[in-house]
Each structure stands twice: as structure tokens, then as C-alpha cells.
């Protein structure tokens, strides 16, 4: 196991996989850890279907291990198998009600299922247990979905204070746009463009939003600039860009 762990730390995933499979072959009932570790390695390499039986075998050997339950549940969230994910994450919370990341991932499940009140409850628990940028961001986002705009802005500001990433600026911009604070919304969307970690599709969405709020203010020249930039980054936004122009110029 130590040699497999070292291989993982060095990024040598095929070598780690080989060590772990050798341990399992020698004694399939030795321990849950080779199965759990192998599942995580396979998941990290995008071998999703191959990872699942190893998670299941780890839990067959040690069904009350909250870390394995959480890792499997969060993996299932990642591959969008939400009902199954919730089952494992709820088992985590039965064992440890103060497991903040389990609350966060169940919140994500409920948010994806459009069950915003349940999502809000779990995100609030996550913030209480771990006041991190990600948890503030998730809570702010689900409050926005419920049109609790001032509360959403409060938590999104806190997320930005801890980690000024593009998506928190973007979601806060949407909040201000819904409140009719279009100039502030445009500035927040622009700030989201400054995050070097942002993906091109995220930058495209932010440019589209800036164009939208400029069009809402009848600032068409500025709006066209940002809509054009959005289409350069993501041509699939053509229909949305055209809709903005049609709606605002009516």
C-alpha cells in the first residue's frame, strides 16, 4: 500500500493501479483500502464505470467507513447519478452529521433536482460547519434561484472575499441584474473576465451577460462588442445573442 501511495503522489497512476491490483489478487479480503484507493485512482483517470465495482467492494468489506461512503457519493454526483449519490451521502451523515462536504454534495444533488429549499438547508449546514468560499458560493447560488436576492448577495460577497473566482463574480452579477442594478451587474461580470482560471466557455458566458446588460441600458455599441466576443469564444451562443438583440430593440 505504501508503494502505491508513493506512486500516486508522484503521479504514476498506472504503477499505483498495478500495485493495488496485485494486493487484491493475493488476498481479495485483506482490507478495504486497496479497493477504495484503486477506485479513486480509476475515477481520477476518468475510468468511471471501472471504478464503481471497486467502491462497492470496499464498502462490502467496511460498510460503515464514512470516507469511502463520501468518496463514492461525491463521485456519483460528479457523474450525475444523483439518486444513488444521495443514498451514500445520507449514510455518511447518519454516521457523522457534522461532515460538511457531505452536506455540500447533498445540497448539489437537491439543487440539480430543482429542490431548492432542501438544497439551501444542506448548504447552510455546510457553511456553518465549514465557512469556505465554495460553501458560501453554493448557498448564494441557491438563494438566487429562490429570488432571495439580498441574502444571495451577502453570501456571494463572502465567497468573493475568500476566493475571488470568476463564477462567484458572475453569480453576484446575475443577482444585481435581477435587482435592476445594471451598472453594478456589468462591473461584476467584467471582473469575472479577469480570472486566469476561467475556461473559454465561462468567459463566453460572462461576455454574453455584459452584452445583455448593456443592451438593457440601450448601450448597443458596447453591447455588440461583448456579444461579439462571446461568439468568438463560443459560437454556440449565437441563438442567445440574437435573442438579446431582438428583445431589447423591440
Amino acid at each position: 500500500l505504501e508503494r502505491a501511495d508513493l506512486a500516486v503522489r508522484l503521479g504514476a497512476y498506472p504503477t499505483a493501479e498495478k500495485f493495488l491490483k496485485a494486493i487484491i489478487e493475493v488476498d481479495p479480503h485483506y482490507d478495504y483500502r486497496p479497493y477504495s484507493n484503486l477506485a479513486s485512482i480509476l475515477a481520477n483517470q476518468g475510468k468511471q464505470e471501472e471504478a464503481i465495482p471497486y467502491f462497492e467492494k470496499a464498502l462490502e468489506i467496511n460498510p460503515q467507513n464514512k470516507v469511502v461512503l463520501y468518496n463514492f457519493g461525491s463521485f456519483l454526483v460528479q457523474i450525475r447519478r444523483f439518486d444513488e449519490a444521495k443514498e451514500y451521502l445520507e449514510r455518511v451523515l447518519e454516521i457523522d452529521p457534522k461532515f460538511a462536504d457531505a452536506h455540500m454534495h447533498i445540497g448539489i444533488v437537491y439543487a440539480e433536482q430543482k429542490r431548492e429549499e432542501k438544497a439551501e438547508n444542506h448548504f447552510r449546514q455546510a457553511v456553518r460547519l465549514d465557512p469556505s468560499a465554495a460553501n458560501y458560493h453554493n448557498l448564494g447560488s441557491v438563494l438566487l434561484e429562490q429570488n432571495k436576492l439580498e441574502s444571495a448577495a451577502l453570501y456571494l460577497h463572502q465567497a468573493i472575499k475568500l476566493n475571488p473566482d470568476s463564477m462567484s463574480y458572475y453569480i453576484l452579477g446575475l443577482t444585481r441584474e435581477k435587482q435592476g442594478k445594471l451598472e453594478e451587474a456589468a462591473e461584476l461580470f467584467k471582473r469575472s473576465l479577469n480570472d486566469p482560471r476561467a475556461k473559454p466557455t465561462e468567459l463566453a458566458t460572462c461576455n454574453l451577460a455584459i452584452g445583455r446588460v448593456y443592451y438593457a441600458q440601450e448601450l448597443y455599441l458596447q453591447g455588440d462588442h461583448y456579444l461579439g466576443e462571446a461568439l468568438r469564444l463560443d459560437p454556440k451562443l449565437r441563438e442567445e445573442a440574437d435573442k438579446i438583440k431582438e428583445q431589447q430593440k423591440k
Side-chain angles (χ1 to χ4, degrees), residues 210-229:
I210 299 168
R212 183 175 63 244
V213 296
Y214 274 135
Y215 257 75
Q217 297 172 84
E218 300 183 357
L219 299 171
Y220 301 125
L221 187 62
Q222 295 96 316
D224 283 337
H225 168 76
Y226 285 99
L227 293 178
E229 186 64 12

mmCIF file with all atom_site columns, all heavy atoms in Angstrom, residues 210-229:
data_model
loop_
_atom_site.group_PDB
_atom_site.id
_atom_site.type_symbol
_atom_site.label_atom_id
_atom_site.label_alt_id
_atom_site.label_comp_id
_atom_site.label_asym_id
_atom_site.label_entity_id
_atom_site.label_seq_id
_atom_site.pdbx_PDB_ins_code
_atom_site.Cartn_x
_atom_site.Cartn_y
_atom_site.Cartn_z
_atom_site.occupancy
_atom_site.B_iso_or_equiv
_atom_site.pdbx_formal_charge
_atom_site.auth_seq_id
_atom_site.auth_comp_id
_atom_site.auth_asym_id
_atom_site.auth_atom_id
_atom_site.pdbx_PDB_model_num
ATOM 1   N N   . ILE A 1 210 ? -22.524 40.586 -20.096 1.00 0.00 ? 210 ILE A N   1
ATOM 2   C CA  . ILE A 1 210 ? -22.196 42.010 -20.202 1.00 0.00 ? 210 ILE A CA  1
ATOM 3   C C   . ILE A 1 210 ? -22.945 42.625 -21.385 1.00 0.00 ? 210 ILE A C   1
ATOM 4   O O   . ILE A 1 210 ? -23.530 43.714 -21.271 1.00 0.00 ? 210 ILE A O   1
ATOM 5   C CB  . ILE A 1 210 ? -20.678 42.212 -20.365 1.00 0.00 ? 210 ILE A CB  1
ATOM 6   C CG1 . ILE A 1 210 ? -19.936 41.668 -19.154 1.00 0.00 ? 210 ILE A CG1 1
ATOM 7   C CG2 . ILE A 1 210 ? -20.356 43.702 -20.550 1.00 0.00 ? 210 ILE A CG2 1
ATOM 8   C CD1 . ILE A 1 210 ? -18.427 41.565 -19.350 1.00 0.00 ? 210 ILE A CD1 1
ATOM 9   N N   . GLY A 1 211 ? -22.926 41.927 -22.508 1.00 0.00 ? 211 GLY A N   1
ATOM 10  C CA  . GLY A 1 211 ? -23.673 42.417 -23.664 1.00 0.00 ? 211 GLY A CA  1
ATOM 11  C C   . GLY A 1 211 ? -25.151 42.580 -23.358 1.00 0.00 ? 211 GLY A C   1
ATOM 12  O O   . GLY A 1 211 ? -25.784 43.564 -23.771 1.00 0.00 ? 211 GLY A O   1
ATOM 13  N N   . ARG A 1 212 ? -25.712 41.638 -22.616 1.00 0.00 ? 212 ARG A N   1
ATOM 14  C CA  . ARG A 1 212 ? -27.141 41.686 -22.273 1.00 0.00 ? 212 ARG A CA  1
ATOM 15  C C   . ARG A 1 212 ? -27.478 42.919 -21.427 1.00 0.00 ? 212 ARG A C   1
ATOM 16  O O   . ARG A 1 212 ? -28.454 43.612 -21.694 1.00 0.00 ? 212 ARG A O   1
ATOM 17  C CB  . ARG A 1 212 ? -27.524 40.414 -21.531 1.00 0.00 ? 212 ARG A CB  1
ATOM 18  C CG  . ARG A 1 212 ? -29.005 40.322 -21.190 1.00 0.00 ? 212 ARG A CG  1
ATOM 19  C CD  . ARG A 1 212 ? -29.345 38.981 -20.559 1.00 0.00 ? 212 ARG A CD  1
ATOM 20  N NE  . ARG A 1 212 ? -28.670 38.772 -19.282 1.00 0.00 ? 212 ARG A NE  1
ATOM 21  C CZ  . ARG A 1 212 ? -27.770 37.807 -19.049 1.00 0.00 ? 212 ARG A CZ  1
ATOM 22  N NH1 . ARG A 1 212 ? -27.430 36.969 -19.994 1.00 0.00 ? 212 ARG A NH1 1
ATOM 23  N NH2 . ARG A 1 212 ? -27.192 37.689 -17.849 1.00 0.00 ? 212 ARG A NH2 1
ATOM 24  N N   . VAL A 1 213 ? -26.656 43.200 -20.411 1.00 0.00 ? 213 VAL A N   1
ATOM 25  C CA  . VAL A 1 213 ? -26.973 44.345 -19.546 1.00 0.00 ? 213 VAL A CA  1
ATOM 26  C C   . VAL A 1 213 ? -26.721 45.670 -20.270 1.00 0.00 ? 213 VAL A C   1
ATOM 27  O O   . VAL A 1 213 ? -27.426 46.654 -20.017 1.00 0.00 ? 213 VAL A O   1
ATOM 28  C CB  . VAL A 1 213 ? -26.226 44.293 -18.197 1.00 0.00 ? 213 VAL A CB  1
ATOM 29  C CG1 . VAL A 1 213 ? -26.671 43.089 -17.379 1.00 0.00 ? 213 VAL A CG1 1
ATOM 30  C CG2 . VAL A 1 213 ? -24.729 44.306 -18.364 1.00 0.00 ? 213 VAL A CG2 1
ATOM 31  N N   . TYR A 1 214 ? -25.759 45.708 -21.182 1.00 0.00 ? 214 TYR A N   1
ATOM 32  C CA  . TYR A 1 214 ? -25.587 46.927 -21.976 1.00 0.00 ? 214 TYR A CA  1
ATOM 33  C C   . TYR A 1 214 ? -26.785 47.143 -22.900 1.00 0.00 ? 214 TYR A C   1
ATOM 34  O O   . TYR A 1 214 ? -27.259 48.275 -23.055 1.00 0.00 ? 214 TYR A O   1
ATOM 35  C CB  . TYR A 1 214 ? -24.288 46.865 -22.781 1.00 0.00 ? 214 TYR A CB  1
ATOM 36  C CG  . TYR A 1 214 ? -23.071 47.337 -22.018 1.00 0.00 ? 214 TYR A CG  1
ATOM 37  C CD1 . TYR A 1 214 ? -21.875 46.627 -22.060 1.00 0.00 ? 214 TYR A CD1 1
ATOM 38  C CD2 . TYR A 1 214 ? -23.108 48.505 -21.251 1.00 0.00 ? 214 TYR A CD2 1
ATOM 39  C CE1 . TYR A 1 214 ? -20.756 47.062 -21.358 1.00 0.00 ? 214 TYR A CE1 1
ATOM 40  C CE2 . TYR A 1 214 ? -22.000 48.940 -20.551 1.00 0.00 ? 214 TYR A CE2 1
ATOM 41  C CZ  . TYR A 1 214 ? -20.829 48.218 -20.609 1.00 0.00 ? 214 TYR A CZ  1
ATOM 42  O OH  . TYR A 1 214 ? -19.729 48.659 -19.916 1.00 0.00 ? 214 TYR A OH  1
ATOM 43  N N   . TYR A 1 215 ? -27.266 46.086 -23.504 1.00 0.00 ? 215 TYR A N   1
ATOM 44  C CA  . TYR A 1 215 ? -28.461 46.219 -24.354 1.00 0.00 ? 215 TYR A CA  1
ATOM 45  C C   . TYR A 1 215 ? -29.663 46.671 -23.532 1.00 0.00 ? 215 TYR A C   1
ATOM 46  O O   . TYR A 1 215 ? -30.477 47.461 -23.991 1.00 0.00 ? 215 TYR A O   1
ATOM 47  C CB  . TYR A 1 215 ? -28.747 44.898 -25.069 1.00 0.00 ? 215 TYR A CB  1
ATOM 48  C CG  . TYR A 1 215 ? -28.317 44.913 -26.513 1.00 0.00 ? 215 TYR A CG  1
ATOM 49  C CD1 . TYR A 1 215 ? -26.962 44.812 -26.847 1.00 0.00 ? 215 TYR A CD1 1
ATOM 50  C CD2 . TYR A 1 215 ? -29.230 45.039 -27.540 1.00 0.00 ? 215 TYR A CD2 1
ATOM 51  C CE1 . TYR A 1 215 ? -26.551 44.842 -28.169 1.00 0.00 ? 215 TYR A CE1 1
ATOM 52  C CE2 . TYR A 1 215 ? -28.829 45.063 -28.872 1.00 0.00 ? 215 TYR A CE2 1
ATOM 53  C CZ  . TYR A 1 215 ? -27.488 44.976 -29.173 1.00 0.00 ? 215 TYR A CZ  1
ATOM 54  O OH  . TYR A 1 215 ? -27.075 45.016 -30.485 1.00 0.00 ? 215 TYR A OH  1
ATOM 55  N N   . ALA A 1 216 ? -29.772 46.176 -22.310 1.00 0.00 ? 216 ALA A N   1
ATOM 56  C CA  . ALA A 1 216 ? -30.884 46.588 -21.443 1.00 0.00 ? 216 ALA A CA  1
ATOM 57  C C   . ALA A 1 216 ? -30.810 48.074 -21.119 1.00 0.00 ? 216 ALA A C   1
ATOM 58  O O   . ALA A 1 216 ? -31.838 48.703 -20.813 1.00 0.00 ? 216 ALA A O   1
ATOM 59  C CB  . ALA A 1 216 ? -30.869 45.772 -20.152 1.00 0.00 ? 216 ALA A CB  1
ATOM 60  N N   . GLN A 1 217 ? -29.612 48.654 -21.174 1.00 0.00 ? 217 GLN A N   1
ATOM 61  C CA  . GLN A 1 217 ? -29.433 50.092 -20.937 1.00 0.00 ? 217 GLN A CA  1
ATOM 62  C C   . GLN A 1 217 ? -29.415 50.888 -22.247 1.00 0.00 ? 217 GLN A C   1
ATOM 63  O O   . GLN A 1 217 ? -29.118 52.088 -22.244 1.00 0.00 ? 217 GLN A O   1
ATOM 64  C CB  . GLN A 1 217 ? -28.126 50.337 -20.177 1.00 0.00 ? 217 GLN A CB  1
ATOM 65  C CG  . GLN A 1 217 ? -28.093 49.702 -18.791 1.00 0.00 ? 217 GLN A CG  1
ATOM 66  C CD  . GLN A 1 217 ? -26.714 49.813 -18.166 1.00 0.00 ? 217 GLN A CD  1
ATOM 67  O OE1 . GLN A 1 217 ? -26.373 50.824 -17.564 1.00 0.00 ? 217 GLN A OE1 1
ATOM 68  N NE2 . GLN A 1 217 ? -25.906 48.762 -18.306 1.00 0.00 ? 217 GLN A NE2 1
ATOM 69  N N   . GLU A 1 218 ? -29.720 50.207 -23.374 1.00 0.00 ? 218 GLU A N   1
ATOM 70  C CA  . GLU A 1 218 ? -29.712 50.801 -24.713 1.00 0.00 ? 218 GLU A CA  1
ATOM 71  C C   . GLU A 1 218 ? -28.324 51.297 -25.119 1.00 0.00 ? 218 GLU A C   1
ATOM 72  O O   . GLU A 1 218 ? -28.193 52.221 -25.917 1.00 0.00 ? 218 GLU A O   1
ATOM 73  C CB  . GLU A 1 218 ? -30.756 51.919 -24.822 1.00 0.00 ? 218 GLU A CB  1
ATOM 74  C CG  . GLU A 1 218 ? -32.168 51.429 -24.572 1.00 0.00 ? 218 GLU A CG  1
ATOM 75  C CD  . GLU A 1 218 ? -33.217 52.515 -24.752 1.00 0.00 ? 218 GLU A CD  1
ATOM 76  O OE1 . GLU A 1 218 ? -32.847 53.680 -25.015 1.00 0.00 ? 218 GLU A OE1 1
ATOM 77  O OE2 . GLU A 1 218 ? -34.411 52.191 -24.641 1.00 0.00 ? 218 GLU A OE2 1
ATOM 78  N N   . LEU A 1 219 ? -27.305 50.662 -24.580 1.00 0.00 ? 219 LEU A N   1
ATOM 79  C CA  . LEU A 1 219 ? -25.922 50.961 -24.959 1.00 0.00 ? 219 LEU A CA  1
ATOM 80  C C   . LEU A 1 219 ? -25.488 49.905 -25.977 1.00 0.00 ? 219 LEU A C   1
ATOM 81  O O   . LEU A 1 219 ? -24.733 48.975 -25.683 1.00 0.00 ? 219 LEU A O   1
ATOM 82  C CB  . LEU A 1 219 ? -25.023 50.954 -23.720 1.00 0.00 ? 219 LEU A CB  1
ATOM 83  C CG  . LEU A 1 219 ? -25.386 51.992 -22.647 1.00 0.00 ? 219 LEU A CG  1
ATOM 84  C CD1 . LEU A 1 219 ? -24.580 51.756 -21.365 1.00 0.00 ? 219 LEU A CD1 1
ATOM 85  C CD2 . LEU A 1 219 ? -25.154 53.406 -23.168 1.00 0.00 ? 219 LEU A CD2 1
ATOM 86  N N   . TYR A 1 220 ? -26.015 50.050 -27.183 1.00 0.00 ? 220 TYR A N   1
ATOM 87  C CA  . TYR A 1 220 ? -25.913 48.974 -28.165 1.00 0.00 ? 220 TYR A CA  1
ATOM 88  C C   . TYR A 1 220 ? -24.491 48.780 -28.695 1.00 0.00 ? 220 TYR A C   1
ATOM 89  O O   . TYR A 1 220 ? -24.088 47.647 -28.971 1.00 0.00 ? 220 TYR A O   1
ATOM 90  C CB  . TYR A 1 220 ? -26.876 49.241 -29.325 1.00 0.00 ? 220 TYR A CB  1
ATOM 91  C CG  . TYR A 1 220 ? -28.312 49.341 -28.883 1.00 0.00 ? 220 TYR A CG  1
ATOM 92  C CD1 . TYR A 1 220 ? -29.074 50.465 -29.190 1.00 0.00 ? 220 TYR A CD1 1
ATOM 93  C CD2 . TYR A 1 220 ? -28.905 48.324 -28.138 1.00 0.00 ? 220 TYR A CD2 1
ATOM 94  C CE1 . TYR A 1 220 ? -30.401 50.559 -28.768 1.00 0.00 ? 220 TYR A CE1 1
ATOM 95  C CE2 . TYR A 1 220 ? -30.220 48.404 -27.711 1.00 0.00 ? 220 TYR A CE2 1
ATOM 96  C CZ  . TYR A 1 220 ? -30.961 49.532 -28.023 1.00 0.00 ? 220 TYR A CZ  1
ATOM 97  O OH  . TYR A 1 220 ? -32.265 49.626 -27.606 1.00 0.00 ? 220 TYR A OH  1
ATOM 98  N N   . LEU A 1 221 ? -23.723 49.872 -28.854 1.00 0.00 ? 221 LEU A N   1
ATOM 99  C CA  . LEU A 1 221 ? -22.368 49.733 -29.369 1.00 0.00 ? 221 LEU A CA  1
ATOM 100 C C   . LEU A 1 221 ? -21.517 48.900 -28.425 1.00 0.00 ? 221 LEU A C   1
ATOM 101 O O   . LEU A 1 221 ? -20.824 47.962 -28.841 1.00 0.00 ? 221 LEU A O   1
ATOM 102 C CB  . LEU A 1 221 ? -21.751 51.122 -29.568 1.00 0.00 ? 221 LEU A CB  1
ATOM 103 C CG  . LEU A 1 221 ? -20.379 51.142 -30.261 1.00 0.00 ? 221 LEU A CG  1
ATOM 104 C CD1 . LEU A 1 221 ? -20.487 50.579 -31.676 1.00 0.00 ? 221 LEU A CD1 1
ATOM 105 C CD2 . LEU A 1 221 ? -19.833 52.571 -30.298 1.00 0.00 ? 221 LEU A CD2 1
ATOM 106 N N   . GLN A 1 222 ? -21.574 49.232 -27.128 1.00 0.00 ? 222 GLN A N   1
ATOM 107 C CA  . GLN A 1 222 ? -20.835 48.453 -26.137 1.00 0.00 ? 222 GLN A CA  1
ATOM 108 C C   . GLN A 1 222 ? -21.361 47.021 -26.070 1.00 0.00 ? 222 GLN A C   1
ATOM 109 O O   . GLN A 1 222 ? -20.599 46.060 -25.957 1.00 0.00 ? 222 GLN A O   1
ATOM 110 C CB  . GLN A 1 222 ? -20.943 49.099 -24.754 1.00 0.00 ? 222 GLN A CB  1
ATOM 111 C CG  . GLN A 1 222 ? -20.293 50.471 -24.652 1.00 0.00 ? 222 GLN A CG  1
ATOM 112 C CD  . GLN A 1 222 ? -21.298 51.592 -24.848 1.00 0.00 ? 222 GLN A CD  1
ATOM 113 O OE1 . GLN A 1 222 ? -22.147 51.532 -25.747 1.00 0.00 ? 222 GLN A OE1 1
ATOM 114 N NE2 . GLN A 1 222 ? -21.191 52.620 -24.004 1.00 0.00 ? 222 GLN A NE2 1
ATOM 115 N N   . GLY A 1 223 ? -22.687 46.893 -26.140 1.00 0.00 ? 223 GLY A N   1
ATOM 116 C CA  . GLY A 1 223 ? -23.290 45.567 -26.095 1.00 0.00 ? 223 GLY A CA  1
ATOM 117 C C   . GLY A 1 223 ? -22.829 44.686 -27.234 1.00 0.00 ? 223 GLY A C   1
ATOM 118 O O   . GLY A 1 223 ? -22.502 43.505 -27.041 1.00 0.00 ? 223 GLY A O   1
ATOM 119 N N   . ASP A 1 224 ? -22.762 45.258 -28.439 1.00 0.00 ? 224 ASP A N   1
ATOM 120 C CA  . ASP A 1 224 ? -22.335 44.483 -29.606 1.00 0.00 ? 224 ASP A CA  1
ATOM 121 C C   . ASP A 1 224 ? -20.895 44.001 -29.457 1.00 0.00 ? 224 ASP A C   1
ATOM 122 O O   . ASP A 1 224 ? -20.551 42.897 -29.892 1.00 0.00 ? 224 ASP A O   1
ATOM 123 C CB  . ASP A 1 224 ? -22.471 45.332 -30.876 1.00 0.00 ? 224 ASP A CB  1
ATOM 124 C CG  . ASP A 1 224 ? -23.920 45.443 -31.351 1.00 0.00 ? 224 ASP A CG  1
ATOM 125 O OD1 . ASP A 1 224 ? -24.723 44.557 -31.002 1.00 0.00 ? 224 ASP A OD1 1
ATOM 126 O OD2 . ASP A 1 224 ? -24.232 46.418 -32.062 1.00 0.00 ? 224 ASP A OD2 1
ATOM 127 N N   . HIS A 1 225 ? -20.066 44.827 -28.844 1.00 0.00 ? 225 HIS A N   1
ATOM 128 C CA  . HIS A 1 225 ? -18.660 44.427 -28.640 1.00 0.00 ? 225 HIS A CA  1
ATOM 129 C C   . HIS A 1 225 ? -18.589 43.154 -27.801 1.00 0.00 ? 225 HIS A C   1
ATOM 130 O O   . HIS A 1 225 ? -17.892 42.195 -28.163 1.00 0.00 ? 225 HIS A O   1
ATOM 131 C CB  . HIS A 1 225 ? -17.889 45.550 -27.950 1.00 0.00 ? 225 HIS A CB  1
ATOM 132 C CG  . HIS A 1 225 ? -16.543 45.118 -27.462 1.00 0.00 ? 225 HIS A CG  1
ATOM 133 N ND1 . HIS A 1 225 ? -15.459 44.937 -28.305 1.00 0.00 ? 225 HIS A ND1 1
ATOM 134 C CD2 . HIS A 1 225 ? -16.097 44.779 -26.202 1.00 0.00 ? 225 HIS A CD2 1
ATOM 135 C CE1 . HIS A 1 225 ? -14.421 44.523 -27.602 1.00 0.00 ? 225 HIS A CE1 1
ATOM 136 N NE2 . HIS A 1 225 ? -14.773 44.423 -26.328 1.00 0.00 ? 225 HIS A NE2 1
ATOM 137 N N   . TYR A 1 226 ? -19.319 43.129 -26.685 1.00 0.00 ? 226 TYR A N   1
ATOM 138 C CA  . TYR A 1 226 ? -19.226 41.976 -25.790 1.00 0.00 ? 226 TYR A CA  1
ATOM 139 C C   . TYR A 1 226 ? -19.961 40.764 -26.345 1.00 0.00 ? 226 TYR A C   1
ATOM 140 O O   . TYR A 1 226 ? -19.514 39.625 -26.149 1.00 0.00 ? 226 TYR A O   1
ATOM 141 C CB  . TYR A 1 226 ? -19.743 42.353 -24.397 1.00 0.00 ? 226 TYR A CB  1
ATOM 142 C CG  . TYR A 1 226 ? -18.750 43.198 -23.636 1.00 0.00 ? 226 TYR A CG  1
ATOM 143 C CD1 . TYR A 1 226 ? -18.879 44.580 -23.571 1.00 0.00 ? 226 TYR A CD1 1
ATOM 144 C CD2 . TYR A 1 226 ? -17.643 42.613 -23.023 1.00 0.00 ? 226 TYR A CD2 1
ATOM 145 C CE1 . TYR A 1 226 ? -17.942 45.363 -22.898 1.00 0.00 ? 226 TYR A CE1 1
ATOM 146 C CE2 . TYR A 1 226 ? -16.708 43.390 -22.346 1.00 0.00 ? 226 TYR A CE2 1
ATOM 147 C CZ  . TYR A 1 226 ? -16.860 44.756 -22.291 1.00 0.00 ? 226 TYR A CZ  1
ATOM 148 O OH  . TYR A 1 226 ? -15.926 45.526 -21.628 1.00 0.00 ? 226 TYR A OH  1
ATOM 149 N N   . LEU A 1 227 ? -21.060 40.978 -27.054 1.00 0.00 ? 227 LEU A N   1
ATOM 150 C CA  . LEU A 1 227 ? -21.737 39.846 -27.687 1.00 0.00 ? 227 LEU A CA  1
ATOM 151 C C   . LEU A 1 227 ? -20.842 39.228 -28.755 1.00 0.00 ? 227 LEU A C   1
ATOM 152 O O   . LEU A 1 227 ? -20.784 37.993 -28.901 1.00 0.00 ? 227 LEU A O   1
ATOM 153 C CB  . LEU A 1 227 ? -23.064 40.294 -28.295 1.00 0.00 ? 227 LEU A CB  1
ATOM 154 C CG  . LEU A 1 227 ? -24.150 40.729 -27.304 1.00 0.00 ? 227 LEU A CG  1
ATOM 155 C CD1 . LEU A 1 227 ? -25.393 41.206 -28.055 1.00 0.00 ? 227 LEU A CD1 1
ATOM 156 C CD2 . LEU A 1 227 ? -24.514 39.612 -26.338 1.00 0.00 ? 227 LEU A CD2 1
ATOM 157 N N   . GLY A 1 228 ? -20.122 40.082 -29.485 1.00 0.00 ? 228 GLY A N   1
ATOM 158 C CA  . GLY A 1 228 ? -19.192 39.570 -30.492 1.00 0.00 ? 228 GLY A CA  1
ATOM 159 C C   . GLY A 1 228 ? -18.079 38.750 -29.870 1.00 0.00 ? 228 GLY A C   1
ATOM 160 O O   . GLY A 1 228 ? -17.678 37.699 -30.386 1.00 0.00 ? 228 GLY A O   1
ATOM 161 N N   . GLU A 1 229 ? -17.574 39.216 -28.719 1.00 0.00 ? 229 GLU A N   1
ATOM 162 C CA  . GLU A 1 229 ? -16.528 38.474 -28.020 1.00 0.00 ? 229 GLU A CA  1
ATOM 163 C C   . GLU A 1 229 ? -17.055 37.136 -27.511 1.00 0.00 ? 229 GLU A C   1
ATOM 164 O O   . GLU A 1 229 ? -16.350 36.117 -27.556 1.00 0.00 ? 229 GLU A O   1
ATOM 165 C CB  . GLU A 1 229 ? -15.986 39.317 -26.864 1.00 0.00 ? 229 GLU A CB  1
ATOM 166 C CG  . GLU A 1 229 ? -14.795 38.715 -26.148 1.00 0.00 ? 229 GLU A CG  1
ATOM 167 C CD  . GLU A 1 229 ? -13.551 38.568 -27.002 1.00 0.00 ? 229 GLU A CD  1
ATOM 168 O OE1 . GLU A 1 229 ? -13.518 39.147 -28.119 1.00 0.00 ? 229 GLU A OE1 1
ATOM 169 O OE2 . GLU A 1 229 ? -12.614 37.876 -26.568 1.00 0.00 ? 229 GLU A OE2 1
#
